[in-house]
Amino acid sequence: YWELLIFLLALTAATSALDNGLMRTPPMGWMSWERFRCNVNCENDPKNCISENLFRDMADRLAEDGWKEMGYDHVMIDDCWSSMLRDKDGRLQPDPQRFPGGIAKLARYLHDRGLKLGIYGDLGTHTCGGYPGTTLDKIETDAQTFASWGVDFLKLDGCYSNEEDQQKGYPLMSKALNATGRPIGYSCSWPAYRGGLPPSVNYTLLGEICNLWRNYDDIQDSWNSVQDITDWFFDNQEILQPEAGPGRWNDPDMLIIGNFGLSVDQSRSQMALWAIMAAPLIMSNNLRTLSSEARAILQNRAAIAINQDPMGVQGRRLLQERSLIEVYWRPLSQSASALVFLSRRQDMPYQYHTSLAKLNYTAGSYEAYDVFTGKTLSGLSATTEFTVSINPSGVVMWYVYPKMHYEDPQDDGRYPYIRQKYRMSSSLHFHKPRVVPPSLL
Ligand code: GLA
């Protein structure tokens, strides 16, 4: 009887997300598009053009500057990598000048460093940048080609394709990737080409065939763009939030932290909101010249731990105050949760007064670890009134967990998941949960 029950449970779990076992937490890594676009001018700009050197350099940075250990393990090639012509057997091939070693060699270079390689294709006649696309008749060939190169991830864009081709093509590519026998993470831009919302978009189907999907517009290097994307995702949270889970993620697009458009406060805001959204943490920046502030934000252990929480529940916006303060919340495993207080103001730091009870927390005592200052607030009860000071276009982000009422002599008093996975400093005391978590809204 038990075996049958477990079998049935396994069956439902297996059908609720693309069954390739990949991306049980949001994928992390680096992708070329937002920062390096379709720069193919290697003569004038050899360091920044789309070439094997760029991806090798970024792989070196990920492997040598502590990124890989934090979970940033994918290097993803976006558009403009291929030759304008397929080879004589109809296969895609990289541009011979810019990728003289070929993709297989680049994949080996990454694998030798414990990293994974992502590549870009487009279900249509051409990619968005005008390179050869993957029309329906080419899907199997391209899946086989990518697998034979040792590629670990595919972003399949949707320029120059129609609704019918998408309806057929996205599921077909999913099947074709599975049929290669190589585990290949699969990102579908399909919903972004259909307005991102039902009835034009079928999220049930997407969850079964893709590991992640772009729902909305491309991110640009500005705070405006980050706000526009955030607003769209949270305005539509009733629809989008339930669709995410282990193996199936909404993708609000790349992290632009470390580029030109965001202040330090705005960079923290993007990191905090992407963590709340259970968004893929895919940076598009220049890892060779990152400032220490940008790096500290992108490598913030608590923000990453929140993003990578194994329960994989996407967070929600709880409040939009008339003061232009917004409150975001995400439930985490082991009865913990994350809170983000965001200021949309443009004047000066705002003193926001509230309590956990006002944010739907149940009675009990809590502690809060401030993600960006590293300070712990203890002795919070649900009704304790507190004040946070939030900078203009900045955030205060808390990791909240119930405080134990007694010390278990077997327990070293620290919160196990975060401690093991992210080796947070031992001065932090994360206590075993005892109080019921705030229920899902
Ligand atoms: C589209 C995608 C972007 C990027 C470009 C490449 O706009 O949404 O993320 O891949 O194409 O041309």
Side-chain angles (χ1 to χ4, degrees):
Y1 167 75
W2 279 111
E3 271 154 44
L4 180 70
L5 191 70
I6 288 164
F7 172 75
L8 287 173
L9 280 173
L11 203 67
T12 36
T15 48
S16 63
L18 172 55
D19 192 17
N20 59 10
L22 298 174
M23 303 183 166
R24 305 302 292 171
T25 61
M28 295 176 67
W30 183 92
M31 188 179 261
S32 53
W33 182 256
E34 196 292 316
R35 176 61 180 78
F36 295 96
R37 306 283 167 147
C38 197
N39 176 359
V40 292
N41 195 337
C42 293
E43 271 102 84
N44 291 337
D45 200 5
K47 277 283 200 189
N48 302 306
C49 65
I50 300 301
S51 75
E52 58 184 34
N53 296 328
L54 178 70
F55 298 100
R56 250 193 272 114
D57 273 8
M58 294 306 149
D60 290 347
R61 299 280 52 82
L62 288 187
E64 291 165 29
D65 299 346
W67 299 100
K68 192 183 77 179
E69 287 69 28
M70 305 293 310
Y72 292 97
D73 62 354
H74 282 77
V75 174
M76 295 157 166
I77 306 175
D78 207 293
D79 203 354
C80 309
W81 60 270
S82 83
S83 159
M84 280 297 180
L85 295 171
R86 287 177 176 263
D87 72 9
K88 59 175 184 354
D89 301 314
R91 287 182 301 231
L92 289 170
Q93 52 186 348
D95 180 277
Q97 263 84 53
R98 293 181 287 115
F99 293 83
I103 304 295
K105 191 167 169 204
L106 184 57
R108 267 198 305 281
Y109 187 88
L110 267 84
H111 295 158
D112 287 346
R113 282 153 186 77
L115 300 169
K116 296 187 162 116
L117 179 65
I119 205 159
Y120 169 98
D122 184 290
L123 189 70
T125 54
H126 297 85
T127 72
C128 301
Y131 289 77
T134 303
T135 45
L136 296 181
D137 57 310
K138 289 288 190 296
I139 286 177
E140 265 174 54
T141 310
D142 291 358
Q144 290 294 337
T145 305
F146 297 146
S148 76
W149 288 340
V151 162
D152 307 289
F153 172 88
L154 172 66
K155 167 176 173 177
L156 190 60
D157 212 340
C159 275
Y160 307 107
S161 66
N162 61 35
E163 198 173 341
E164 248 173 86
D165 296 342
Q166 293 162 6
Q167 191 82 40
K168 289 194 187 120
Y170 280 99
L172 267 180
M173 179 59 90
S174 185
K175 278 211 191 101
L177 291 174
N178 268 339
T180 67
R182 185 177 175 81
I184 299 179
Y186 182 34
S187 167
C188 301
S189 299
W190 188 8
Y193 288 86
R194 301 264 66 90
L197 298 172
S200 318
V201 176
N202 178 349
Y203 280 109
T204 309
L205 172 61
L206 276 164
E208 284 160 6
I209 63 166
C210 315
N211 293 114
L212 55 150
W213 45 80
R214 282 283 309 282
N215 317 59
Y216 188 62
D217 294 350
D218 292 0
I219 199 160
Q220 307 294 340
D221 193 3
S222 74
W223 175 236
N224 246 340
S225 171
V226 171
Q227 291 184 94
D228 176 57
I229 289 173
T230 314
D231 284 344
W232 186 86
F233 276 81
F234 287 102
D235 287 347
N236 294 301
Q237 63 183 357
E238 294 305 327
I239 292 160
L240 303 175
Q241 186 271 339
E243 300 301 341
R248 41 180 300 165
W249 310 103
N250 292 303
D251 180 7
D253 212 3
M254 297 162 235
L255 292 167
I256 56 166
I257 299 163
N259 295 331
F260 310 98
L262 300 186
S263 69
V264 171
D265 274 295
Q266 292 161 356
S267 302
R268 292 193 183 116
S269 298
Q270 193 190 17
M271 192 70 187
L273 292 165
W274 263 236
I276 289 286
M277 283 191 277
L281 296 181
I282 302 172
M283 308 178 276
S284 190
N285 52 14
N286 188 347
L287 295 175
R288 303 175 189 117
T289 57
L290 219 55
S291 69
S292 53
E293 288 106 326
R295 176 178 338 184
I297 294 165
L298 289 162
Q299 294 194 352
N300 183 294
R301 288 175 187 282
I304 294 173
I306 290 165
N307 174 272
Q308 295 286 297
D309 184 84
M311 209 161 76
V313 175
Q314 184 174 326
R316 288 176 162 253
R317 186 172 62 203
L318 296 181
L319 285 172
Q320 289 182 290
E321 304 274 21
R322 283 168 60 188
S323 59
L324 301 183
I325 301 302
E326 298 174 348
V327 185
Y328 298 83
W329 169 78
R330 177 176 171 187
L332 303 171
S333 53
Q334 296 178 309
S335 306
S337 56
L339 280 174
V340 167
F341 304 96
L342 170 74
S343 170
R344 307 286 294 253
R345 299 177 67 89
Q346 307 188 34
D347 52 356
M348 63 177 207
Y350 187 82
Q351 309 300 306
Y352 180 67
H353 309 283
T354 187
S355 71
L356 293 178
K358 285 180 187 154
L359 305 174
N360 306 332
Y361 281 68
T362 51
S365 52
Y366 297 89
E367 288 189 349
Y369 172 76
D370 186 312
V371 169
F372 293 113
T373 66
K375 294 200 180 104
T376 301
L377 220 97
S378 37
L380 274 177
S381 82
T383 51
T384 312
E385 297 274 333
F386 58 81
T387 302
V388 284
S389 175
I390 317 160
N391 293 345
S393 64
V395 286
V396 169
M397 183 177 202
W398 283 7
Y399 175 81
V400 182
Y401 49 95
K403 188 169 163 42
M404 223 173 47
H405 293 276
Y406 59 91
E407 295 290 336
D408 176 350
Q410 299 299 322
D411 181 22
D412 68 1
R414 280 174 297 162
Y415 203 65
Y417 168 70
I418 274 206
R419 186 197 67 220
Q420 283 158 17
K421 192 115 199 270
Y422 297 96
R423 282 174 274 125
M424 297 181 70
S425 80
S426 54
S427 63
L428 289 178
H429 280 264
F430 288 110
H431 292 271
K432 255 191 163 169
R434 196 165 170 265
V435 185
V436 227
S439 56
L440 277 179
L441 290 181

